Amino acid sequence: MKNKLHGFVAVIIAYSTILIAPIVSAAEYPERAVQLIVPFSVGGGTDAVARAFAKAAQKQIPDGMVVINKPGAGGAIGWKYMMNAKPDGYTLGVVTVEMAILPHLNLFNHTYKDIVPIAQLNADPAAIIVRADSPYKTIEQLIANAKSRSGALSMGTSGNGTIYDLAAAAFEDKSKAKFNRIPFQGAGPAIVALLGNQLDAIAASPGEVAQYLKSGDLRMLAVMADQRVAKFDTVPTLKEKGIDLSIGTWRGIMGPKGLTEEVVDRLKILVAKTAKDPDFRELLNAMNLGFVYADKRKFKAIMERDNEFFKNLVTNLPYNP
């Protein structure tokens, strides 16, 4: 009888441990290092935002945040990896505007509804960039030459279905100039190819090429924004040149579906504190990347809005990824 009683008590303790374990774990989260999956290559804007965030997040995560690059398929490979991870809060991802683009191109069989948005951290417009020794000193010259040599000039982008590939296609459509669009696995490799004289131009964000603009290796011809960009206010917008096009990216933190409410609440606090950290903002500012914060609710609304915007754009744009 005594042995049976001991056995019964052991079972009760075991079940009690199982029941309270998630609560204890959530309350103590994060207890170890957190992985942050970046769906693009090292050297681009998404990677830069992720690394700046991971560095600042060390103040909130005792064992730090580890950035892991998994580029390819316009972001789909990295996102798929994150989505398949155990939903315990220890594998997060950087979500970008491509999440609202790829599904409409049949390049990704998931949407923003299949992830848990945590917060937006950044937003940047697209821009057209050439080498400093390029014969094209203005956007008008680039357009004129592209028109006269249809498809002869090469335009590097961050990959099929990515925001900068779509921006380049929209630029072609609005300007009536045809380029040979060449996709890379992120803006970083495209920038390297441009610097290596393998391309005539690229579509990327101002922040991604800021160091090369400062060093005099590259020249930015125009930005695809409603207004000129701070720190690059000598560069005109396409709208100033009679081309009605404003398009760009956003980036933020997400997690896989299945995260408990307790862990999501902890994450919201952790990400908000990191986003407000002066060190994080200074890092973004130093890299000329735009800081834009939106909490979980507002970020989801932005995703919903842009999902419709890009659905309509892709439908009406002669775009072939």
Side-chain angles (χ1 to χ4, degrees):
M1 180 67 181
K2 187 176 181 180
N3 289 336
K4 288 183 179 180
L5 180 60
H6 285 171
F8 178 73
V9 171
V11 169
I12 293 297
I13 292 173
Y15 273 102
S16 298
T17 303
I18 291 171
L19 290 172
I20 66 172
I23 299 174
V24 172
S25 177
E28 296 177 354
Y29 173 86
E31 298 177 286
R32 61 179 189 273
V34 175
Q35 294 185 28
L36 183 62
I37 307 302
V38 178
F40 295 103
S41 299
V42 174
T46 302
D47 179 71
V49 170
R51 292 182 186 279
F53 179 81
K55 184 175 181 179
Q58 289 179 344
K59 297 177 183 179
Q60 309 298 327
I61 304 173
D63 292 325
M65 179 172 275
V66 181
V67 174
I68 300 175
N69 296 83
K70 288 189 175 294
I77 290 176
W79 291 332
K80 193 71 174 178
Y81 179 88
M82 191 280 304
M83 289 178 176
N84 289 334
K86 184 178 180 181
D88 56 6
Y90 290 100
T91 300
L92 305 175
V94 178
V95 61
T96 66
V97 72
E98 282 79 10
M99 182 67 78
I101 298 173
L102 297 184
H104 303 302
L105 298 171
N106 296 317
L107 296 176
F108 193 43
N109 59 353
H110 294 281
T111 72
Y112 69 95
K113 296 179 181 179
D114 298 315
I115 57 98
V116 177
I118 305 299
Q120 179 185 358
L121 301 173
N122 157 265
D124 287 300
I128 301 297
I129 301 110
V130 298
R131 288 187 310 281
D133 60 1
S134 167
Y136 313 115
K137 309 298 182 185
T138 66
I139 195 68
E140 293 94 336
Q141 291 175 345
L142 179 68
I143 291 171
N145 199 290
K147 283 183 176 180
S148 66
R149 303 168 59 201
S150 182
L153 298 187
S154 56
M155 175 81 73
T157 74
S158 51
N160 287 330
T162 64
I163 184 61
Y164 299 127
D165 200 50
L166 196 61
F171 173 62
E172 288 182 284
D173 183 59
K174 294 287 186 179
S175 67
K176 308 305 178 186
K178 179 65 178 175
F179 292 85
N180 175 25
R181 292 200 319 277
I182 301 176
F184 291 80
Q185 287 192 352
I191 293 168
V192 171
L194 179 63
L195 290 166
N197 201 23
Q198 300 170 35
L199 299 167
D200 293 299
I202 62 169
S205 73
E208 289 170 315
V209 296
Q211 61 177 312
Y212 302 110
L213 297 174
K214 185 176 181 180
S215 66
D217 294 307
L218 298 180
R219 179 189 302 120
M220 188 157 57
L221 300 183
V223 293
M224 304 181 193
D226 293 334
Q227 298 178 338
R228 295 193 180 193
V229 178
K231 293 190 178 182
F232 305 102
D233 55 6
T234 61
V235 180
T237 66
L238 284 181
K239 290 191 174 184
E240 291 176 53
K241 300 300 180 178
I243 301 173
D244 187 16
L245 180 59
S246 181
I247 190 170
T249 190
W250 43 251
R251 305 175 177 101
I253 304 298
M254 67 173 176
K257 267 202 165 183
L259 289 175
T260 65
E261 289 185 16
E262 291 85 1
V263 169
V264 171
D265 288 342
R266 296 280 292 181
L267 274 171
K268 287 193 294 185
I269 295 171
L270 184 155
V271 173
K273 285 183 177 180
T274 303
K276 293 175 183 177
D277 191 319
D279 290 342
F280 175 61
R281 298 201 188 187
E282 286 175 15
L283 283 169
L284 289 189
N285 186 57
M287 294 184 289
N288 298 281
L289 293 165
F291 173 77
V292 176
Y293 179 80
D295 63 18
K296 182 178 184 289
R297 181 182 60 82
K298 291 180 180 178
F299 195 21
K300 184 178 181 180
I302 289 168
M303 291 181 179
E304 292 174 347
R305 178 201 68 192
D306 282 2
N307 183 66
E308 286 302 310
F309 171 80
F310 286 108
K311 178 182 178 180
N312 293 329
L313 182 63
V314 167
T315 300
N316 298 316
L317 187 68
Y319 176 72
N320 296 309

